[in-house]
Amino acid sequence: MAVLQMQRMSICALKKDRKAILEKLQSMGVMEINHVLEEDEHFRRMDTGNARMSFDKAAASADQALDILQQYAPVKQSMLSSLAGKDLVDQKKYQSIIEDKDELLKKAKRIQALDKEKAEQHANILKIENSIESLMPWLKLDVPMNFPGTEHIVMIPGTMPGMLTLENVYAMLAAQAPELEADFHIISAEQDTTYLTVFCLRNDAQQLEEALRSIGFAKPSQMIGEIPAKAKEEMEAEISEIKGRIAEIEKEVSDLAANREGLKLLADYFRVRADKYEVLGQLPQSERTFLISGYVPAKVVPKVQKALADKYDCVVDVEELKEDEEAPVLLKNNKFSSSAEGILEAFGLPGKGEMDPTAIMSFFYVFLFGLMLSDAAYGAIVAIACGVLILKFPRMGKGMKTSIQLFFWCGLSTLFWGVMFGGYFGDVINVVSRTFFGHEVGIPAVWFVPLDEPMRLLIYSMLFGVIHLFVGLGIKGYMCIRDKRYMDFFCDVVLWFMLLIGLLIMLVPSELFASIAQMSITFPPVAVTLGKVLAIAGAAGILLMSGRAKKNIGLRLALGAYDLYNVSGWLSDVLSYSRLLALGLATGVIASVVNQMGSMAGKSVFGVIVFIFAFIVGHTFNIAINLLGAYVHTNRLQFVEFFGKFYEGGGRAFNPFKENTKYADIKEETNL
C-alpha cells in the first residue's frame, strides 16, 4: 500500500563509457530518463537518428521474416498460447546467437527475397493462365495467329460479336462492301463472340479490314507466333516449371525456419539497440564526458550506485525531488493487493500528495465481487481455472497475470458467499435429488438464502455500502492529518461523519426502516437524542464551514448550503449498493430457472440427456453474463462511490529505460 518514493539521480561519466553505462542501466530497468540540462556551448546532443533508423529497419526485417516463416512453417499454437508470455533466454545463449547477427540478418533478407520471388512466380502463372484462356477459342487454328500468308493471299484473324454462321458473315460483308471478295472460316463460336479467319487478296486487305470493322470485326489483342495448340502446350509446361520453382522456394523457406529462435532474438536485439540510441541522442555530451539524469526509486538507488561505481569512473549524485516537481508513480503492494493495481490504473494513478488506495480497494473489490456472483460452484470454477492458468503459464505478461490473479481471489470470495447463501449451481442439488431420486435433499445455507429473504440482503447490501463509503471518507481524513490540514480534517471529514452517523441513528429505529427491513430496531432514548444532536451539529458545521475560504458571509452560507445538499448524493451512493442485491439475485434466479428447465423432461434417459444439455449450456451462459456484470458493477462502486469520497488520480506511470523486447526476456539482474 505504497507509492514508492522517487529520487533524482544524475550521472556524470567519461564519454568512452557512455554506451556501456547505458546498457547497464537498460538491463537493470530502474531509471526513467528525464534530463533537466539544456544544450550549451560545452554540452551538446549528438544526432543518432540514422543509427536508430538502421536498427529499427533491421528489427522490422527480422519481424517480417518471422511473419513469413509463420506462413510457410507455422508453429502450432493452442487457444491459450497467448498466455504463455515471452521466453526466458540465458545470457550466454543470447550472446552466442547475437554474435552471428550479420549472418542471421542475411537469412532474414533471404527469406524476404524468396517470399517476393514466390509472389512474382504466382503472378507469372496468373499471366500465363490468362494467355492460355485467351488462346482457347483458337485451338482449332492450325497455323500461327500472325501467319503472314502467301505472296498474293493474306490471313486476318479476328472476332465478331454474337454467335454467327458463315451465311450471316457473308451477308453482312455483302451489305457493307459488295465489291470485295473474301473467304471466311469460323474457328469457334460462343454465345457472345464468333472467332474466325478471313482470307483475301493482299491488295484488298486494307479495304477489307475497314469494311469488316464497320460490321463489328476486331483483331485479337494477342497474336501468337505459333500454332495455338502448340503454344498452349508450351505455356502449360512453363507453368509446371514455375510450380516446381515455387515448391523449391517453399522448401528453402521451410528449411530456414530452423533460424526462427535466432531471428526472434535478433529482432529484440536491434529493438533494444534502437531504444538505447534514442536515449543516447538525448544525452548532453562534452568533448570527454556525458551527463544522464532521471528518476530512480529510492530503494534501488544503492544498488545502482554500486553497479556503476564498481566498474566505471563516474560521479553519481542523488537528490530529493523539488517541491513543485511531480514524479512518476510506481506502486508497491503485497501479492493480494497488487492484483488490483490494474483496476486502479484504469481509473488513474495517484496524483501528487495522494496515497495509494490499492490495498483497501482490493479487499472491498474482492468482497463485493463475490457478493454479486455469490454461487459456490461458480466461484470454485473461476478460482480453479485461474489457479491452473497461473501455474501453467508462469511467464505470462504482467498485466494478464495480475488480472487472472484478481479473478482468482474473486473466485474464492464467490465461493465463500455461495456457501453462506447456499448456492451451488443455484438449487441444482435439490432439483436433481427431487427429479431423479424422488427424495429432495440439499445443502443448507450457512447464513440465509437471498431468494427467500431478499429484503434482508438489501439491508446488508446497504450496510456494506455505508461501511465502504465511510472508509473512503476516513481515508480522506487520514490524508488531511498526514498533511497537517487539521481544519480541513474537521470541516470536511469530522462534520460529515457527525451528520451521517446522526442521520443513521435517527433512521434505524424509524417506521420507514422497519417497513423496508421487515424488522424493528429500537435504541435507548439517549442514543436517539445523541443522533439528533450529532445530525444538527454536523449540518450546522457544514453550513458555516464549507465556504470558510470566503470572507463574504452570504457567499459563505450559500456555499455551505450547497455542500449540505450533497447529503442527497450520499443517499444516492448508498442506494447504488442495491446492485449487490440485484446481481446476487440474478445469479440465483437464472441458475434456478436453468435447473427447472432441465428437469422438465422428467425421470427418464431422455430426461437425463435434456438436463445435462440444459445444465451445461444454461450455467455456462449464466456464469459468463454474471461474471461480466459483477466485474462492471464492482468497478463502478469503486470508481464512482468509493473514489468519489477522497481520490482524484491523474498520476503519471513510471516508465523506466529498459529492454523492451517482443519475443524473449534475457536473464539479467533482478528488476523492481
Side-chain angles (χ1 to χ4, degrees), residues 558-574:
L559 291 173
Y562 179 80
D563 196 23
L564 186 60
Y565 177 74
N566 193 40
V567 73
S568 62
W570 276 86
L571 176 61
S572 173
D573 290 343
V574 172

Side-chain angles (χ1 to χ4, degrees), residues 316-492:
V316 179
D317 179 58
V318 180
E319 58 182 331
E320 298 298 330
L321 302 185
K322 298 177 181 178
E323 186 68 25
D324 60 344
E325 190 171 5
E326 188 168 351
V329 177
L330 181 64
L331 305 179
K332 186 67 174 178
N333 290 283
N334 58 39
K335 189 173 183 180
F336 171 77
S337 299
S338 62
S339 63
E341 287 180 355
I343 302 297
L344 181 71
E345 291 173 5
F347 182 86
L349 291 169
K352 186 176 178 62
E354 288 188 314
M355 64 173 286
D356 174 18
T358 306
I360 297 174
M361 182 204 72
S362 60
F363 168 77
F364 280 108
Y365 191 97
V366 171
F367 181 90
L368 298 176
F369 188 102
L371 187 57
M372 288 187 187
L373 196 55
S374 65
D375 187 284
Y378 292 175
I381 291 173
V382 172
I384 292 172
C386 292
V388 170
L389 291 176
I390 292 171
L391 294 176
K392 184 174 176 60
F393 302 105
R395 297 282 308 155
M396 75 172 67
K398 181 182 177 182
M400 180 64 70
K401 188 172 185 178
T402 55
S403 296
I404 292 178
Q405 285 176 335
L406 178 62
F407 278 101
F408 171 77
W409 297 117
C410 289
L412 293 182
S413 175
T414 303
L415 174 61
F416 167 78
W417 284 112
V419 172
M420 297 297 290
F421 294 150
Y424 303 86
F425 290 115
D427 58 349
V428 70
I429 299 176
N430 303 69
V431 172
V432 169
S433 62
R434 181 176 64 247
T435 303
F436 299 105
F437 298 97
H439 177 66
E440 183 174 343
V441 297
I443 302 176
V446 174
W447 193 9
F448 69 94
V449 178
L451 289 177
D452 297 336
E453 301 179 74
M455 296 310 297
R456 186 177 179 184
L457 180 57
L458 177 62
I459 295 302
Y460 278 105
S461 297
M462 300 293 188
L463 174 61
F464 296 146
V466 169
I467 294 172
H468 195 204
L469 296 174
F470 276 15
V471 170
L473 188 59
I475 294 175
K476 180 178 181 180
Y478 164 77
M479 290 192 295
C480 289
I481 295 175
R482 181 198 63 182
D483 299 337
K484 299 181 180 179
R485 294 183 288 117
Y486 301 113
M487 181 59 72
D488 292 343
F489 169 70
F490 176 76
C491 297
D492 298 335

Side-chain angles (χ1 to χ4, degrees), residues 159-204:
T159 63
M160 294 186 70
M163 183 178 288
L164 305 175
T165 63
L166 286 175
E167 290 78 6
N168 299 139
V169 177
Y170 279 116
M172 293 169 67
L173 179 62
Q176 184 67 29
E179 72 280 5
L180 295 177
E181 294 186 3
D183 185 19
F184 293 92
H185 294 270
I186 294 178
I187 306 301
S188 64
E190 300 173 353
Q191 184 175 359
D192 299 325
T193 310
T194 299
Y195 301 85
L196 67 162
T197 56
V198 184
F199 292 89
C200 67
L201 294 175
R202 191 174 293 276
N203 293 334
D204 296 337

Side-chain angles (χ1 to χ4, degrees), residues 117-136:
E117 183 184 351
K118 179 185 174 181
E120 292 172 347
Q121 296 291 10
H122 276 297
N124 287 337
I125 289 178
L126 184 61
K127 182 179 179 181
I128 295 171
E129 287 176 343
N130 290 335
S131 297
I132 292 175
E133 183 70 21
S134 65
L135 278 179
M136 295 301 291

Side-chain angles (χ1 to χ4, degrees), residues 97-122:
I97 291 177
I98 296 306
E99 285 176 1
D100 297 329
K101 60 180 180 296
D102 294 334
E103 187 64 29
L104 280 171
L105 196 56
K106 289 180 182 178
K107 290 179 179 178
K109 292 179 178 178
R110 176 61 179 166
I111 291 171
Q112 295 172 57
L114 289 170
D115 183 62
K116 182 180 179 182
E117 183 184 351
K118 179 185 174 181
E120 292 172 347
Q121 296 291 10
H122 276 297

Side-chain angles (χ1 to χ4, degrees), residues 611-639:
F611 184 85
I612 292 174
F613 176 78
F615 179 87
I616 294 174
V617 175
H619 285 288
T620 299
F621 169 79
N622 193 26
I623 192 173
I625 196 69
N626 282 291
L627 267 174
L628 178 61
Y631 174 75
V632 170
H633 289 288
T634 307
N635 280 356
R636 187 195 185 284
L637 290 177
Q638 306 299 326
F639 293 165

